[in-house]
Amino acid sequence: MKTEIFKINSPDDEKIKLVGQILREGGLAAIPTETVYGLAGNALEGKCAEKIFAAKGRPSDNPLIVHISNISQWDALVSEIPDSAKALADAFWPGPLTIILPKSDLVPKEVSGGLDTVAVRMPENEIARAIIEASGVPLAAPSANLSGKPSPTSASHVIDDMKDRIEAIVDSGDCNVGVESTVLSLAVSPARLLRPGKVTAQELAEVLGEVEIDDAVFDKLPEGKRAASPGMKYKHYSPDAPVVLVKGSFEAFARYIKENAREGTVALCFEGEERALDVPSITYGKRDDPSSQAKHIFDALRRVDKMGAKQVFARFPENEGMGLAVFNRLLRAAAFNIIEV
Ligand code: TXA
Ligand code: MG
């Protein structure tokens, strides 16, 4: 299949109609969102979900997020919208928050990965919303990476992974947030944070009163335990080289690298720190700025591969507020491998 690439920089661009038509006719298109690029298909057709799983090489028991452009589309997808969900939508939509509720019969089992719940979000990115609008249907869209690879935050990442596997790729430059949406389940009580993102647990608790953070956010699932969010049980975001998260001061990090570097060692550090390190390095944002780290982390993980790294030592990010989202992604990239120095 030959992938058509559409450069679109405005929600009024005429080419959005063509992308909408491809989606309406059952094709797949990678589209920008404020978090990461999504691999979109008609969320009401089980066959489209199957095509998405095939293009990504993703296990089909991992459910997809359904994207809407208008709050009225939500009603038909879920069995009921409780007041707590309405309050969250008021506070955070359009934006990087995904809300899980019991699903309606309209949502095919292929989209929900066989679960009786469905994850829904209304993206903030105006081009994304215009494409949903133009397609005339809600769009199922996981991140547009090959399964296991870092999520794509630029069209070139998507092209690397998806060229000639899908009908279209929309190129609208870099994503603003850089890590995927916060995933919150309202299908359990109290509400449970399944994946941290830009919308923090603290912000959610201000609206809901109480939010639990799922254990899988911080730790590897114990052998045999069922994941609340199936995505959490898979290896994720990994460069080809093994990554170790090194916890400690920058001085201790630099010393650790000096003592343990070998051929092919690459450091993943904060801006400015590379000058004081003895090995090639890639930076991921500013030290005290989790949102700049979020914006650069996935690109940094991809660049590590392009450098041909054989071993990666990564600086440990702050793990509070939005920093928890960055920490959670790096923890998975490192397969939970942390060394304290
Ligand atoms: O920011 C985002 O959310 C991006 C953009 C494209 O919108 N999408 C995204 O989708 O990250 P994906 O499929 O890569 O991640 C969805 C996560 C997975 O970990 C999945 O297991 C979880 O959400 N999920 C989806 N539906 C669920 C459900 N019904 N119950 C529990 N977890 C669910
Ligand atoms: Mg993903």
Side-chain angles (χ1 to χ4, degrees):
M1 170 185 326
K2 178 129 180 55
T3 301
E4 203 169 342
I5 299 184
F6 296 92
K7 239 184 165 8
I8 297 180
N9 290 312
S10 145
D12 302 320
D13 192 314
E14 285 293 315
K15 294 193 284 298
I16 285 180
K17 292 205 182 86
L18 299 175
V19 180
Q21 189 182 351
I22 288 171
L23 290 160
R24 197 166 48 246
E25 291 172 353
L28 303 185
I31 64 169
T33 82
E34 70 279 19
T35 55
V36 302
Y37 275 78
L39 176 50
N42 182 346
L44 305 182
E45 287 290 342
K47 274 212 168 57
C48 292
E50 281 169 359
K51 282 169 73 176
I52 291 174
F53 290 124
K56 274 181 72 82
R58 172 168 172 157
S60 59
D61 67 341
N62 192 359
L64 305 174
I65 295 175
V66 178
H67 295 65
I68 57 175
S69 55
N70 190 305
I71 206 97
S72 63
Q73 294 173 296
W74 199 14
D75 260 324
L77 298 168
V78 295
S79 61
E80 188 195 346
I81 303 177
D83 288 344
S84 56
K86 285 185 193 132
L88 287 172
D90 272 348
F92 301 109
W93 280 1
L97 173 66
T98 295
I99 301 174
I100 295 173
L101 286 169
K103 78 176 194 69
S104 73
D105 293 340
L106 194 64
V107 179
K109 62 179 187 321
E110 291 85 352
V111 168
S112 68
L115 300 176
D116 51 15
T117 53
V118 63
V120 178
R121 101 172 177 96
M122 188 195 293
E124 186 175 0
N125 183 299
E126 291 189 336
I127 294 171
R129 292 211 306 280
I131 291 170
I132 302 168
E133 195 82 36
S135 76
V137 286
L139 296 178
S143 48
N145 52 287
L146 286 172
S147 189
K149 289 283 162 206
S151 295
T153 52
S154 75
S156 74
H157 298 161
V158 181
I159 290 168
D160 283 347
D161 283 14
M162 289 297 156
K163 193 165 174 336
D164 300 337
R165 299 174 74 89
I166 58 178
E167 279 78 5
I169 295 175
V170 176
D171 176 354
S172 322
D174 294 346
C175 300
N176 278 332
V177 176
V179 292
E180 309 89 335
S181 61
T182 304
V183 176
L184 181 79
S185 177
L186 290 183
V188 292
S189 179
R192 181 174 285 260
L193 183 92
L194 302 181
R195 180 174 74 184
K198 182 176 182 216
V199 177
T200 63
Q202 295 87 320
E203 288 173 309
L204 294 168
E206 276 168 33
V207 175
L208 294 174
E210 193 185 4
V211 175
E212 272 184 7
I213 302 185
D214 199 87
D215 288 343
V217 168
F218 300 102
D219 279 310
K220 192 162 25 186
L221 281 174
E223 221 44 67
K225 188 169 182 278
R226 206 171 140 258
S229 177
M232 287 199 268
K233 71 183 180 212
Y234 299 109
K235 193 174 175 212
H236 244 113
Y237 314 126
S238 335
D240 296 330
V243 178
V244 180
L245 264 175
V246 183
K247 188 173 182 182
S249 66
F250 176 66
E251 290 65 36
F253 177 81
R255 203 175 328 117
Y256 182 81
I257 286 191
K258 213 181 207 56
E259 286 161 7
N260 293 280
R262 48 183 166 81
E263 179 78 37
T265 294
V266 169
L268 200 55
C269 61
F270 301 125
E271 279 168 30
E273 294 178 343
E274 67 276 21
R275 288 191 287 273
L277 294 172
D278 301 330
V279 295
S281 51
I282 304 255
T283 62
Y284 74 100
K286 298 189 175 63
R287 188 184 330 207
D288 296 314
D289 182 355
S291 54
S292 88
Q293 294 164 18
K295 203 168 167 152
H296 297 289
I297 186 63
F298 287 140
D299 180 61
L301 288 170
R302 279 175 183 259
R303 281 199 284 150
V304 157
D305 269 348
K306 292 220 154 132
M307 272 173 88
K310 296 208 166 50
Q311 175 192 50
V312 182
F313 292 128
R315 287 275 277 140
F316 195 88
E318 211 178 288
N319 58 1
E320 275 172 28
M322 195 184 172
L324 183 60
V326 178
F327 169 71
N328 172 268
R329 303 320 187 268
L330 259 175
L331 191 62
R332 278 163 178 75
F336 301 90
N337 202 347
I338 299 177
I339 289 179
E340 291 206 39
V341 292

